[in-house]
Amino acid sequence: MTGNRLDRMPDNTVAIIGAGPSGLACARWLRAHGLEPLLFEAADQLGGQWNSLSPMSGVWPGMRTNTSRVTTAFSDMDHVEGTATYPRHDEMLAYLERYAEHFDLLCRIRTRARVEHLSRGDDGLWHIRSNTDGVIRREAFRRAIVATGRHVAPDVPDIAGIESFCGSFGAAHTSHYYGPERLRGRSVVVAGCSISALEIAAEIALSGAAQVTASYRRQRYVLPKLIKGVPTESVMFTRAAAIAAERCPPDIAAEALKAMVLNAAGSPEQFGARKPHDNIFAAGITQSQNFLPAVAEGRIVTRPWIERIDGRTVHFADGSAVEADALFLGTGYRLSLPFLSPELAETVELDTANMTLHDFTLHPDLPGLAFAGLIDLVGPFFPAIELQARWIAYSFAGIAARPTPEKLAMALSRSRAARTFGPAVPTHVAALAFARNAGIEPSLEHYPELERALLFGPLSAISFRLEGPDRLPNASYLAKKAAAEFGAITSEDFTAEERNIRDMLRGAAAMAAA
């Protein structure tokens, strides 16, 4: 099984590249339907981004989740009692370890097994070359899943003079951020307007830095992590919001979303930050509990993008400058799948930000191959990746019907179009697509007592165990319990605003069906 020998694995064995949340979810659901997963993990242990010891992890000391424990969990396992609303990164790793142990996945993970090449052989099988401590294996599988994560290759922008930066703490991508302690009393520039950039800027500012400057190309609307005590994703990233995004014209959807954001969080210029674009889709949305209050307190100064760097001096596009001791680049990640053969990369039209796939998952010309978890982190991630894992498992096990050629062609056209226009697809919209493809979206008509919770409550993974091959007899009770967490949805009575939205969605559905 080493050297040039190609070992054919049993037909029911599915190769999964990556043992982070997506890979583990795929393995759990494959096992539930008679298939045998084999996970290739390049790091010393499972966990993906939540394994802070992995060189590909962007976790920093003390980091917590951006979504609550209800929506950062799979349907089969809650967090341990006493877990805070937002779990720490070490609690997330412990959660994934418990999940893997509970579903007997640990013995199915090869750690330190870096996949160097994935290709389709002349035999129609998926050929994988992996390297474990210098031992090369070449194996062929009938089915394979790529679940390596979207956020593993930092995207470092080209900034004039960045190589000359000589602040005492240097320049680094935020994936290498080491916490605020060493930066007390210092001047720090944080570039970027992503969640991690704003959270890091706020943490440094509130931990005693002398000066924090946040620099970014465009001002996004900034949502807090909590809205009136309820986690933001339980208010904003709901099933009703996802359906509205599908059924409303883009301009109406943008105005409705903007009204919700302004009502929940105000606009950045009210806090002293820059004014975002009037169109919320053009501006974008990000999240941070403390960033805008820190701006209002003068702890953070906002500036446009960096024009150039001269030694310690960082010059901005508005003509201002600051002397900095440290520079962190919160500028996102490139989509990096270097192990894909050139033929595979060409088929999926891979670039540094996108692939052309049916709902981020399948390609009609690549039977037996799936991609999992390679979606933008805008909204609750765990429910979406569990639904995607179930769809993949149902497809591989022959439970989910194969899409018609017409549907596949339309899906690929949508995927190509998304490269050139429109905002990133948030996770709650992707989750509904996965659920529909798997045939497990719960029908509102079947659960009148849950209608409000299913429409306006958190998009919990358990709420998709009501129907389908893996329905749970107590799913209704558990979905209602999840919706009531943090005081989000505690009764069946719609508010006037919710009733109006529900009626609008019903009307849009009736018009579409007519």
Side-chain angles (χ1 to χ4, degrees):
M1 214 157 72
T2 60
N4 292 320
R5 175 179 172 179
L6 178 68
D7 190 58
R8 173 164 181 164
M9 304 301 284
D11 279 353
N12 72 330
T13 301
V14 182
I16 302 175
I17 305 173
S22 297
L24 294 173
C26 286
R28 177 263 183 272
W29 288 104
L30 289 170
R31 287 204 68 227
H33 294 281
L35 297 170
E36 183 62 28
L38 175 60
L39 296 98
F40 294 79
E41 173 53 53
D44 289 340
Q45 65 181 127
L46 60 79
Q49 282 290 317
W50 296 112
N51 172 18
S52 62
L53 299 179
S54 168
M56 293 174 288
S57 172
V59 164
W60 62 83
M63 177 179 166
R64 291 183 178 270
T65 61
N66 292 310
T67 51
S68 76
R69 62 175 184 263
V70 170
T71 54
T72 317
F74 297 126
S75 64
D76 293 299
M77 183 175 290
D78 291 333
H79 287 273
V80 297
E81 189 173 349
T83 300
T85 302
Y86 298 97
R88 295 189 313 270
H89 66 83
D90 57 306
E91 292 174 316
M92 287 305 306
L93 179 59
Y95 174 87
L96 294 173
E97 289 173 334
R98 287 195 298 120
Y99 185 82
E101 183 176 10
H102 180 76
F103 290 106
D104 198 22
L105 304 179
L106 294 175
C107 61
R108 293 169 168 83
I109 302 173
R110 288 184 190 165
T111 55
R112 302 192 308 280
R114 180 177 297 279
V115 170
E116 298 179 335
H117 196 68
L118 170 66
S119 63
R120 182 163 54 176
D122 294 337
D123 53 9
L125 301 178
W126 298 104
H127 291 199
I128 290 179
R129 184 180 76 237
S130 64
N131 185 331
T132 304
D133 299 331
V135 177
I136 305 298
R137 289 185 173 93
R138 292 178 171 84
E139 296 157 303
F141 299 82
R142 185 179 172 191
R143 304 177 187 87
I145 300 171
V146 176
T148 48
R150 189 179 179 89
H151 301 84
V152 295
D155 188 10
V156 178
D158 185 14
I159 298 174
I162 192 170
E163 70 283 349
S164 74
F165 182 73
C166 59
S168 53
F169 291 91
H173 192 269
T174 51
S175 59
H176 302 296
Y177 172 62
Y178 38 73
E181 288 78 12
R182 296 162 58 192
L183 302 170
R184 292 191 178 104
R186 303 289 184 165
S187 172
V188 182
V189 173
V190 181
C193 201
S194 65
I195 293 175
S196 59
L198 300 194
E199 289 283 84
I200 287 172
E203 181 176 81
I204 295 171
L206 296 172
S207 297
Q211 182 178 23
V212 175
T213 305
S215 166
Y216 34 81
R217 292 184 176 89
R218 59 188 168 114
Q219 176 69 63
R220 300 182 185 183
Y221 291 85
V222 184
L223 284 166
K225 292 174 75 169
L226 292 160
I227 299 173
K228 298 177 182 177
V230 178
T232 291
E233 78 277 2
S234 296
V235 178
M236 303 292 296
F237 296 96
T238 63
R239 186 176 175 189
I243 296 172
E246 295 173 338
R247 296 178 181 172
C248 294
D251 56 339
I252 294 177
E255 284 302 313
L257 177 60
K258 181 179 175 182
M260 290 180 66
V261 170
L262 293 180
N263 182 57
S267 193
E269 73 273 14
Q270 294 175 262
F271 296 80
R274 295 156 57 201
K275 187 179 187 305
H277 194 287
D278 284 339
N279 186 308
I280 198 167
F281 289 161
I285 299 175
T286 187
Q287 185 183 46
S288 174
Q289 185 68 19
N290 298 313
F291 179 79
L292 289 179
V295 171
E297 292 175 347
R299 298 173 185 268
I300 297 175
V301 176
T302 62
R303 293 284 182 255
W305 191 240
I306 299 170
E307 185 177 75
R308 72 184 191 281
I309 296 174
D310 296 317
R312 283 190 61 220
T313 307
V314 181
H315 298 267
F316 304 102
D318 62 356
S320 64
V322 67
E323 300 289 306
D325 298 303
L327 169 63
F328 290 101
L329 302 170
T331 46
Y333 295 81
R334 294 176 287 105
L335 179 58
S336 178
L337 301 172
F339 51 85
L340 290 190
S341 70
E343 294 78 13
L344 285 182
E346 181 179 1
T347 298
V348 300
E349 302 172 33
L350 175 68
D351 61 26
T352 57
N354 302 283
M355 289 186 288
T356 298
L357 296 169
H358 171 27
D359 289 335
F360 310 98
T361 308
L362 304 173
H363 195 286
D365 297 333
L366 303 174
L369 181 66
F371 296 82
L374 302 177
I375 57 177
D376 288 300
L377 297 182
V378 183
F381 186 60
F382 272 56
I385 60 174
E386 176 170 306
L387 290 167
Q388 188 180 34
R390 291 174 66 185
W391 175 30
I392 293 170
Y394 294 171
S395 298
F396 283 3
I399 296 171
R402 180 171 175 78
T404 64
E406 293 78 15
K407 183 175 180 180
L408 286 169
M410 289 177 61
L412 294 187
S413 295
R414 287 196 307 271
S415 182
R416 291 191 184 97
R419 294 170 179 259
T420 54
F421 70 89
V425 176
T427 55
H428 62 310
V429 174
L432 279 195
F434 299 151
R436 289 167 184 168
N437 291 329
I440 53 178
E441 182 186 15
S443 171
L444 296 175
E445 292 76 15
H446 295 168
Y447 306 96
E449 77 285 0
L450 276 176
E451 185 180 16
R452 186 181 180 221
L454 292 176
L455 275 176
F456 297 101
L459 200 75
S460 61
I462 191 62
S463 66
F464 292 91
R465 299 294 295 276
L466 292 161
E467 297 178 357
D470 293 289
R471 65 176 301 275
L472 291 175
N474 62 340
S476 180
Y477 164 77
L478 294 174
K480 184 176 289 190
K481 179 183 175 185
E485 284 277 354
F486 319 113
I489 301 293
T490 56
S491 78
E492 299 174 18
D493 300 325
F494 289 84
T495 66
E497 182 182 7
E498 290 169 348
R499 192 176 299 108
N500 288 337
I501 294 172
R502 180 198 63 182
D503 294 343
M504 179 193 71
L505 296 179
R506 287 178 176 177
M511 290 179 62

PDB file of all heavy atoms in Angstrom, residues 161-190:
ATOM      1  N   GLY A 161       4.947  48.923  -0.449  1.00  0.00           N
ATOM      2  CA  GLY A 161       5.862  49.165   0.661  1.00  0.00           C
ATOM      3  C   GLY A 161       5.671  48.284   1.870  1.00  0.00           C
ATOM      4  O   GLY A 161       6.346  48.483   2.881  1.00  0.00           O
ATOM      5  N   ILE A 162       4.793  47.284   1.792  1.00  0.00           N
ATOM      6  CA  ILE A 162       4.537  46.479   2.995  1.00  0.00           C
ATOM      7  C   ILE A 162       5.790  45.750   3.459  1.00  0.00           C
ATOM      8  O   ILE A 162       5.978  45.510   4.652  1.00  0.00           O
ATOM      9  CB  ILE A 162       3.369  45.494   2.756  1.00  0.00           C
ATOM     10  CG1 ILE A 162       2.926  44.880   4.101  1.00  0.00           C
ATOM     11  CG2 ILE A 162       3.741  44.421   1.747  1.00  0.00           C
ATOM     12  CD1 ILE A 162       1.637  44.089   4.021  1.00  0.00           C
ATOM     13  N   GLU A 163       6.669  45.439   2.504  1.00  0.00           N
ATOM     14  CA  GLU A 163       7.901  44.742   2.896  1.00  0.00           C
ATOM     15  C   GLU A 163       8.817  45.628   3.729  1.00  0.00           C
ATOM     16  O   GLU A 163       9.722  45.134   4.425  1.00  0.00           O
ATOM     17  CB  GLU A 163       8.639  44.246   1.641  1.00  0.00           C
ATOM     18  CG  GLU A 163       9.262  45.320   0.781  1.00  0.00           C
ATOM     19  CD  GLU A 163       8.248  46.076  -0.082  1.00  0.00           C
ATOM     20  OE1 GLU A 163       7.081  45.636  -0.171  1.00  0.00           O
ATOM     21  OE2 GLU A 163       8.642  47.113  -0.663  1.00  0.00           O
ATOM     22  N   SER A 164       8.569  46.952   3.700  1.00  0.00           N
ATOM     23  CA  SER A 164       9.411  47.872   4.470  1.00  0.00           C
ATOM     24  C   SER A 164       8.907  48.086   5.890  1.00  0.00           C
ATOM     25  O   SER A 164       9.587  48.741   6.689  1.00  0.00           O
ATOM     26  CB  SER A 164       9.467  49.244   3.761  1.00  0.00           C
ATOM     27  OG  SER A 164       8.250  49.967   3.923  1.00  0.00           O
ATOM     28  N   PHE A 165       7.730  47.524   6.214  1.00  0.00           N
ATOM     29  CA  PHE A 165       7.149  47.792   7.538  1.00  0.00           C
ATOM     30  C   PHE A 165       8.096  47.300   8.629  1.00  0.00           C
ATOM     31  O   PHE A 165       8.508  46.126   8.644  1.00  0.00           O
ATOM     32  CB  PHE A 165       5.786  47.113   7.678  1.00  0.00           C
ATOM     33  CG  PHE A 165       5.129  47.406   9.003  1.00  0.00           C
ATOM     34  CD1 PHE A 165       4.598  48.656   9.260  1.00  0.00           C
ATOM     35  CD2 PHE A 165       5.048  46.443   9.996  1.00  0.00           C
ATOM     36  CE1 PHE A 165       4.004  48.949  10.489  1.00  0.00           C
ATOM     37  CE2 PHE A 165       4.463  46.717  11.216  1.00  0.00           C
ATOM     38  CZ  PHE A 165       3.938  47.977  11.460  1.00  0.00           C
ATOM     39  N   CYS A 166       8.430  48.199   9.556  1.00  0.00           N
ATOM     40  CA  CYS A 166       9.426  47.859  10.582  1.00  0.00           C
ATOM     41  C   CYS A 166       8.910  48.118  11.987  1.00  0.00           C
ATOM     42  O   CYS A 166       9.711  48.336  12.913  1.00  0.00           O
ATOM     43  CB  CYS A 166      10.727  48.614  10.334  1.00  0.00           C
ATOM     44  SG  CYS A 166      10.557  50.416  10.341  1.00  0.00           S
ATOM     45  N   GLY A 167       7.568  48.096  12.152  1.00  0.00           N
ATOM     46  CA  GLY A 167       7.032  48.162  13.505  1.00  0.00           C
ATOM     47  C   GLY A 167       7.576  47.019  14.337  1.00  0.00           C
ATOM     48  O   GLY A 167       7.833  45.915  13.822  1.00  0.00           O
ATOM     49  N   SER A 168       7.731  47.227  15.621  1.00  0.00           N
ATOM     50  CA  SER A 168       8.420  46.248  16.466  1.00  0.00           C
ATOM     51  C   SER A 168       7.723  44.898  16.530  1.00  0.00           C
ATOM     52  O   SER A 168       8.347  43.886  16.864  1.00  0.00           O
ATOM     53  CB  SER A 168       8.588  46.805  17.887  1.00  0.00           C
ATOM     54  OG  SER A 168       7.343  47.234  18.408  1.00  0.00           O
ATOM     55  N   PHE A 169       6.408  44.838  16.194  1.00  0.00           N
ATOM     56  CA  PHE A 169       5.686  43.568  16.234  1.00  0.00           C
ATOM     57  C   PHE A 169       5.358  43.041  14.835  1.00  0.00           C
ATOM     58  O   PHE A 169       4.665  42.038  14.700  1.00  0.00           O
ATOM     59  CB  PHE A 169       4.407  43.713  17.061  1.00  0.00           C
ATOM     60  CG  PHE A 169       4.677  43.912  18.523  1.00  0.00           C
ATOM     61  CD1 PHE A 169       4.815  45.192  19.040  1.00  0.00           C
ATOM     62  CD2 PHE A 169       4.850  42.840  19.374  1.00  0.00           C
ATOM     63  CE1 PHE A 169       5.092  45.401  20.377  1.00  0.00           C
ATOM     64  CE2 PHE A 169       5.121  43.028  20.717  1.00  0.00           C
ATOM     65  CZ  PHE A 169       5.246  44.312  21.226  1.00  0.00           C
ATOM     66  N   GLY A 170       5.841  43.746  13.826  1.00  0.00           N
ATOM     67  CA  GLY A 170       5.753  43.235  12.472  1.00  0.00           C
ATOM     68  C   GLY A 170       4.351  43.268  11.878  1.00  0.00           C
ATOM     69  O   GLY A 170       3.388  43.741  12.481  1.00  0.00           O
ATOM     70  N   ALA A 171       4.262  42.715  10.662  1.00  0.00           N
ATOM     71  CA  ALA A 171       2.994  42.613   9.931  1.00  0.00           C
ATOM     72  C   ALA A 171       2.636  41.149   9.773  1.00  0.00           C
ATOM     73  O   ALA A 171       3.508  40.313   9.502  1.00  0.00           O
ATOM     74  CB  ALA A 171       3.105  43.282   8.560  1.00  0.00           C
ATOM     75  N   ALA A 172       1.343  40.831   9.947  1.00  0.00           N
ATOM     76  CA  ALA A 172       0.908  39.442   9.842  1.00  0.00           C
ATOM     77  C   ALA A 172      -0.565  39.403   9.461  1.00  0.00           C
ATOM     78  O   ALA A 172      -1.318  40.347   9.734  1.00  0.00           O
ATOM     79  CB  ALA A 172       1.120  38.699  11.159  1.00  0.00           C
ATOM     80  N   HIS A 173      -0.971  38.322   8.853  1.00  0.00           N
ATOM     81  CA  HIS A 173      -2.392  38.068   8.614  1.00  0.00           C
ATOM     82  C   HIS A 173      -3.055  37.776   9.960  1.00  0.00           C
ATOM     83  O   HIS A 173      -2.417  37.263  10.896  1.00  0.00           O
ATOM     84  CB  HIS A 173      -2.555  36.877   7.668  1.00  0.00           C
ATOM     85  CG  HIS A 173      -3.943  36.703   7.140  1.00  0.00           C
ATOM     86  ND1 HIS A 173      -4.880  35.919   7.788  1.00  0.00           N
ATOM     87  CD2 HIS A 173      -4.562  37.199   6.039  1.00  0.00           C
ATOM     88  CE1 HIS A 173      -6.010  35.935   7.094  1.00  0.00           C
ATOM     89  NE2 HIS A 173      -5.844  36.703   6.027  1.00  0.00           N
ATOM     90  N   THR A 174      -4.352  38.085  10.072  1.00  0.00           N
ATOM     91  CA  THR A 174      -5.036  37.848  11.344  1.00  0.00           C
ATOM     92  C   THR A 174      -5.093  36.374  11.715  1.00  0.00           C
ATOM     93  O   THR A 174      -5.345  36.039  12.879  1.00  0.00           O
ATOM     94  CB  THR A 174      -6.460  38.423  11.319  1.00  0.00           C
ATOM     95  OG1 THR A 174      -7.138  37.959  10.141  1.00  0.00           O
ATOM     96  CG2 THR A 174      -6.448  39.940  11.334  1.00  0.00           C
ATOM     97  N   SER A 175      -4.867  35.470  10.761  1.00  0.00           N
ATOM     98  CA  SER A 175      -4.806  34.045  11.106  1.00  0.00           C
ATOM     99  C   SER A 175      -3.630  33.746  12.022  1.00  0.00           C
ATOM    100  O   SER A 175      -3.576  32.680  12.645  1.00  0.00           O
ATOM    101  CB  SER A 175      -4.704  33.195   9.830  1.00  0.00           C
ATOM    102  OG  SER A 175      -3.547  33.541   9.083  1.00  0.00           O
ATOM    103  N   HIS A 176      -2.686  34.682  12.126  1.00  0.00           N
ATOM    104  CA  HIS A 176      -1.527  34.520  13.019  1.00  0.00           C
ATOM    105  C   HIS A 176      -1.601  35.457  14.228  1.00  0.00           C
ATOM    106  O   HIS A 176      -0.602  35.656  14.927  1.00  0.00           O
ATOM    107  CB  HIS A 176      -0.229  34.767  12.246  1.00  0.00           C
ATOM    108  CG  HIS A 176      -0.038  33.856  11.067  1.00  0.00           C
ATOM    109  ND1 HIS A 176       0.101  32.495  11.199  1.00  0.00           N
ATOM    110  CD2 HIS A 176      -0.006  34.116   9.732  1.00  0.00           C
ATOM    111  CE1 HIS A 176       0.239  31.956   9.996  1.00  0.00           C
ATOM    112  NE2 HIS A 176       0.161  32.905   9.103  1.00  0.00           N
ATOM    113  N   TYR A 177      -2.764  36.002  14.482  1.00  0.00           N
ATOM    114  CA  TYR A 177      -2.945  36.870  15.645  1.00  0.00           C
ATOM    115  C   TYR A 177      -2.735  36.075  16.932  1.00  0.00           C
ATOM    116  O   TYR A 177      -3.203  34.944  17.066  1.00  0.00           O
ATOM    117  CB  TYR A 177      -4.354  37.476  15.612  1.00  0.00           C
ATOM    118  CG  TYR A 177      -4.763  38.249  16.835  1.00  0.00           C
ATOM    119  CD1 TYR A 177      -4.087  39.397  17.234  1.00  0.00           C
ATOM    120  CD2 TYR A 177      -5.872  37.832  17.586  1.00  0.00           C
ATOM    121  CE1 TYR A 177      -4.490  40.112  18.353  1.00  0.00           C
ATOM    122  CE2 TYR A 177      -6.287  38.552  18.698  1.00  0.00           C
ATOM    123  CZ  TYR A 177      -5.593  39.677  19.083  1.00  0.00           C
ATOM    124  OH  TYR A 177      -5.993  40.390  20.194  1.00  0.00           O
ATOM    125  N   TYR A 178      -2.038  36.660  17.895  1.00  0.00           N
ATOM    126  CA  TYR A 178      -1.603  35.938  19.089  1.00  0.00           C
ATOM    127  C   TYR A 178      -2.223  36.482  20.375  1.00  0.00           C
ATOM    128  O   TYR A 178      -1.780  36.144  21.476  1.00  0.00           O
ATOM    129  CB  TYR A 178      -0.079  36.021  19.203  1.00  0.00           C
ATOM    130  CG  TYR A 178       0.498  37.359  18.789  1.00  0.00           C
ATOM    131  CD1 TYR A 178       0.365  38.504  19.588  1.00  0.00           C
ATOM    132  CD2 TYR A 178       1.141  37.489  17.564  1.00  0.00           C
ATOM    133  CE1 TYR A 178       0.872  39.720  19.189  1.00  0.00           C
ATOM    134  CE2 TYR A 178       1.648  38.717  17.144  1.00  0.00           C
ATOM    135  CZ  TYR A 178       1.511  39.824  17.964  1.00  0.00           C
ATOM    136  OH  TYR A 178       2.000  41.047  17.557  1.00  0.00           O
ATOM    137  N   GLY A 179      -3.241  37.329  20.264  1.00  0.00           N
ATOM    138  CA  GLY A 179      -3.865  37.878  21.462  1.00  0.00           C
ATOM    139  C   GLY A 179      -3.376  39.287  21.745  1.00  0.00           C
ATOM    140  O   GLY A 179      -2.400  39.764  21.163  1.00  0.00           O
ATOM    141  N   PRO A 180      -4.059  40.002  22.664  1.00  0.00           N
ATOM    142  CA  PRO A 180      -3.782  41.430  22.861  1.00  0.00           C
ATOM    143  C   PRO A 180      -2.691  41.772  23.871  1.00  0.00           C
ATOM    144  O   PRO A 180      -2.273  42.927  23.959  1.00  0.00           O
ATOM    145  CB  PRO A 180      -5.132  41.944  23.363  1.00  0.00           C
ATOM    146  CG  PRO A 180      -5.675  40.804  24.175  1.00  0.00           C
ATOM    147  CD  PRO A 180      -5.235  39.553  23.439  1.00  0.00           C
ATOM    148  N   GLU A 181      -2.228  40.792  24.650  1.00  0.00           N
ATOM    149  CA  GLU A 181      -1.375  41.117  25.795  1.00  0.00           C
ATOM    150  C   GLU A 181      -0.123  41.895  25.399  1.00  0.00           C
ATOM    151  O   GLU A 181       0.246  42.895  26.039  1.00  0.00           O
ATOM    152  CB  GLU A 181      -0.980  39.836  26.543  1.00  0.00           C
ATOM    153  CG  GLU A 181      -2.101  39.195  27.323  1.00  0.00           C
ATOM    154  CD  GLU A 181      -3.048  38.405  26.429  1.00  0.00           C
ATOM    155  OE1 GLU A 181      -2.690  38.177  25.247  1.00  0.00           O
ATOM    156  OE2 GLU A 181      -4.142  38.034  26.896  1.00  0.00           O
ATOM    157  N   ARG A 182       0.559  41.457  24.351  1.00  0.00           N
ATOM    158  CA  ARG A 182       1.823  42.089  23.948  1.00  0.00           C
ATOM    159  C   ARG A 182       1.611  43.463  23.325  1.00  0.00           C
ATOM    160  O   ARG A 182       2.585  44.201  23.109  1.00  0.00           O
ATOM    161  CB  ARG A 182       2.563  41.185  22.956  1.00  0.00           C
ATOM    162  CG  ARG A 182       2.993  39.849  23.553  1.00  0.00           C
ATOM    163  CD  ARG A 182       3.320  38.845  22.459  1.00  0.00           C
ATOM    164  NE  ARG A 182       4.362  39.319  21.557  1.00  0.00           N
ATOM    165  CZ  ARG A 182       4.663  38.729  20.403  1.00  0.00           C
ATOM    166  NH1 ARG A 182       3.986  37.651  20.011  1.00  0.00           N
ATOM    167  NH2 ARG A 182       5.612  39.213  19.625  1.00  0.00           N
ATOM    168  N   LEU A 183       0.357  43.793  23.032  1.00  0.00           N
ATOM    169  CA  LEU A 183       0.079  45.025  22.290  1.00  0.00           C
ATOM    170  C   LEU A 183      -0.425  46.146  23.177  1.00  0.00           C
ATOM    171  O   LEU A 183      -0.781  47.216  22.677  1.00  0.00           O
ATOM    172  CB  LEU A 183      -0.942  44.733  21.187  1.00  0.00           C
ATOM    173  CG  LEU A 183      -0.503  43.659  20.187  1.00  0.00           C
ATOM    174  CD1 LEU A 183      -1.654  43.267  19.277  1.00  0.00           C
ATOM    175  CD2 LEU A 183       0.685  44.151  19.358  1.00  0.00           C
ATOM    176  N   ARG A 184      -0.454  45.943  24.487  1.00  0.00           N
ATOM    177  CA  ARG A 184      -0.878  47.006  25.396  1.00  0.00           C
ATOM    178  C   ARG A 184       0.084  48.190  25.295  1.00  0.00           C
ATOM    179  O   ARG A 184       1.295  48.025  25.322  1.00  0.00           O
ATOM    180  CB  ARG A 184      -0.939  46.492  26.833  1.00  0.00           C
ATOM    181  CG  ARG A 184      -2.040  45.475  27.059  1.00  0.00           C
ATOM    182  CD  ARG A 184      -2.249  45.202  28.545  1.00  0.00           C
ATOM    183  NE  ARG A 184      -3.344  44.259  28.734  1.00  0.00           N
ATOM    184  CZ  ARG A 184      -3.182  42.971  29.038  1.00  0.00           C
ATOM    185  NH1 ARG A 184      -1.967  42.494  29.210  1.00  0.00           N
ATOM    186  NH2 ARG A 184      -4.224  42.194  29.192  1.00  0.00           N
ATOM    187  N   GLY A 185      -0.505  49.385  25.185  1.00  0.00           N
ATOM    188  CA  GLY A 185       0.305  50.585  25.087  1.00  0.00           C
ATOM    189  C   GLY A 185       0.906  50.825  23.719  1.00  0.00           C
ATOM    190  O   GLY A 185       1.699  51.751  23.538  1.00  0.00           O
ATOM    191  N   ARG A 186       0.527  50.027  22.737  1.00  0.00           N
ATOM    192  CA  ARG A 186       1.102  50.130  21.398  1.00  0.00           C
ATOM    193  C   ARG A 186       0.100  50.705  20.397  1.00  0.00           C
ATOM    194  O   ARG A 186      -1.106  50.771  20.653  1.00  0.00           O
ATOM    195  CB  ARG A 186       1.543  48.744  20.912  1.00  0.00           C
ATOM    196  CG  ARG A 186       2.542  48.064  21.826  1.00  0.00           C
ATOM    197  CD  ARG A 186       3.907  48.732  21.755  1.00  0.00           C
ATOM    198  NE  ARG A 186       4.902  48.030  22.559  1.00  0.00           N
ATOM    199  CZ  ARG A 186       6.219  48.222  22.444  1.00  0.00           C
ATOM    200  NH1 ARG A 186       6.679  49.098  21.563  1.00  0.00           N
ATOM    201  NH2 ARG A 186       7.053  47.555  23.202  1.00  0.00           N
ATOM    202  N   SER A 187       0.631  51.091  19.238  1.00  0.00           N
ATOM    203  CA  SER A 187      -0.191  51.568  18.130  1.00  0.00           C
ATOM    204  C   SER A 187      -0.340  50.422  17.130  1.00  0.00           C
ATOM    205  O   SER A 187       0.667  49.871  16.646  1.00  0.00           O
ATOM    206  CB  SER A 187       0.458  52.771  17.443  1.00  0.00           C
ATOM    207  OG  SER A 187      -0.238  53.113  16.264  1.00  0.00           O
ATOM    208  N   VAL A 188      -1.588  50.081  16.824  1.00  0.00           N
ATOM    209  CA  VAL A 188      -1.859  48.903  15.989  1.00  0.00           C
ATOM    210  C   VAL A 188      -2.798  49.303  14.851  1.00  0.00           C
ATOM    211  O   VAL A 188      -3.788  50.012  15.064  1.00  0.00           O
ATOM    212  CB  VAL A 188      -2.513  47.772  16.819  1.00  0.00           C
ATOM    213  CG1 VAL A 188      -2.740  46.546  15.944  1.00  0.00           C
ATOM    214  CG2 VAL A 188      -1.642  47.421  18.022  1.00  0.00           C
ATOM    215  N   VAL A 189      -2.500  48.815  13.664  1.00  0.00           N
ATOM    216  CA  VAL A 189      -3.392  48.970  12.509  1.00  0.00           C
ATOM    217  C   VAL A 189      -3.955  47.594  12.174  1.00  0.00           C
ATOM    218  O   VAL A 189      -3.206  46.620  12.056  1.00  0.00           O
ATOM    219  CB  VAL A 189      -2.654  49.546  11.289  1.00  0.00           C
ATOM    220  CG1 VAL A 189      -3.562  49.534  10.053  1.00  0.00           C
ATOM    221  CG2 VAL A 189      -2.171  50.961  11.567  1.00  0.00           C
ATOM    222  N   VAL A 190      -5.278  47.523  12.040  1.00  0.00           N
ATOM    223  CA  VAL A 190      -5.946  46.293  11.611  1.00  0.00           C
ATOM    224  C   VAL A 190      -6.647  46.596  10.290  1.00  0.00           C
ATOM    225  O   VAL A 190      -7.522  47.469  10.229  1.00  0.00           O
ATOM    226  CB  VAL A 190      -6.959  45.786  12.648  1.00  0.00           C
ATOM    227  CG1 VAL A 190      -7.593  44.484  12.157  1.00  0.00           C
ATOM    228  CG2 VAL A 190      -6.282  45.569  13.997  1.00  0.00           C
TER     229      VAL A 190
END
